[in-house]
Amino acid sequence: MALSPPLPAPSCSPCTGESETKRQQILTGASAVFAEHGYEGASMSAIARQAAVSKGTLYNYFTNKADLFAAFVEQCCREKLPVALAPVREDSPARETLTAVARAMVRLITQPDSLMLYRIIVSEAPRFPQLGAVFWENGPRVAIATLANWIREQEALGTLRTEDPVFAAEQFFALCQTRIAHLRRFNLNPENSAEEEEKVIHAAVRVFMAAYGAE
């Protein structure tokens, strides 16, 4: 079976003479339409109406729906990931850093926008595998690479010891997705959410340090 063609690189800046404000207006409208109809069900006409722009204006910014969705995913990741991964740039003890990252990631992946994006990718990827590729490249891959680099730095300091820093980073983020993330992705809310969130955060760090701590 032939694979779907790759998504075009998202347009990082508007056409000459067009305003960044208008581009953001389109992306905001697209977010609402994608959330309601998914990727396949969203049309450029519906996005133009939601964004209160003409189709001509819409196509001045984005050549097709794939281009628009790629820009939407890229923007979501660019806005949210740096905040969640900021603790790795602080000069803090390993356990403290991991706790801060775990807390930020648990809260990020359970935000309504993140849940919406995850559901779109999972539901549409079998028909449009390029959607999963765009999300992976801009989201999970960046997070894993960032944490893996921090793990290598910790290994050099003697605080962590792993055979594969990338795999260890993948495991840590998997631990952060237990219970709360799984339930909310199915539109279920755990009882005592705040307590459960702290349980997930500290358990993720405890298990990771038990496996990879050099102490």
Side-chain angles (χ1 to χ4, degrees):
M1 181 182 295
L3 294 176
S4 301
L7 283 171
S11 175
C12 294
S13 58
C15 301
T16 303
E18 302 287 357
S19 74
E20 180 61 25
T21 299
K22 185 69 70 176
R23 183 176 187 273
Q24 183 57 52
Q25 180 180 332
I26 293 170
L27 288 172
T28 300
S31 174
V33 176
F34 286 137
E36 183 175 357
H37 300 289
Y39 177 78
E40 185 176 17
S43 69
M44 294 294 270
S45 295
I47 291 170
R49 286 195 300 272
Q50 181 68 34
V53 299
S54 68
K55 286 186 69 175
T57 297
L58 180 58
Y59 282 109
N60 280 340
Y61 285 89
F62 303 100
T63 57
N64 51 45
K65 185 169 67 173
D67 183 29
L68 176 52
F69 186 81
F72 166 63
V73 172
E74 183 185 61
Q75 176 177 272
C76 289
C77 295
R78 187 174 60 245
E79 289 178 349
K80 297 178 180 181
L81 266 186
V83 177
L85 297 172
V88 302
R89 294 188 290 273
E90 302 294 333
D91 185 16
S92 301
R95 190 177 295 272
E96 183 178 323
T97 295
L98 289 170
T99 300
V101 171
R103 178 169 288 108
M105 291 304 299
V106 169
R107 292 176 179 175
L108 171 59
I109 61 182
T110 56
Q111 288 178 0
D113 286 351
S114 300
L115 292 171
M116 176 268 289
L117 184 57
Y118 175 87
R119 289 166 183 151
I120 290 176
I121 297 298
V122 171
S123 65
E124 305 285 14
R127 292 185 295 275
F128 305 101
Q130 68 270 34
L131 301 185
V134 167
F135 176 67
W136 177 262
E137 290 297 322
N138 288 279
R141 183 175 180 179
V142 172
I144 291 166
T146 301
L147 187 61
N149 286 337
W150 176 83
I151 290 171
R152 293 186 185 98
E153 294 172 356
Q154 294 300 308
E155 288 182 324
L157 294 172
T159 57
L160 295 176
R161 182 170 55 245
T162 76
E163 295 180 358
D164 184 342
V166 173
F167 184 67
E170 292 172 349
Q171 286 186 310
F172 182 74
F173 288 130
L175 290 168
C176 293
Q177 296 181 64
T178 55
R179 187 163 294 188
I180 295 178
H182 288 320
L183 288 173
R184 289 188 178 166
R185 284 166 179 167
F186 290 107
N187 205 32
L188 301 172
N189 288 314
E191 296 181 3
N192 303 318
S193 293
E195 294 179 12
E196 290 298 313
E197 182 177 291
E198 288 302 306
K199 180 177 181 179
V200 169
I201 292 165
H202 292 290
V205 176
R206 186 167 60 251
V207 171
F208 186 86
M209 292 299 293
Y212 298 118
E215 298 173 359

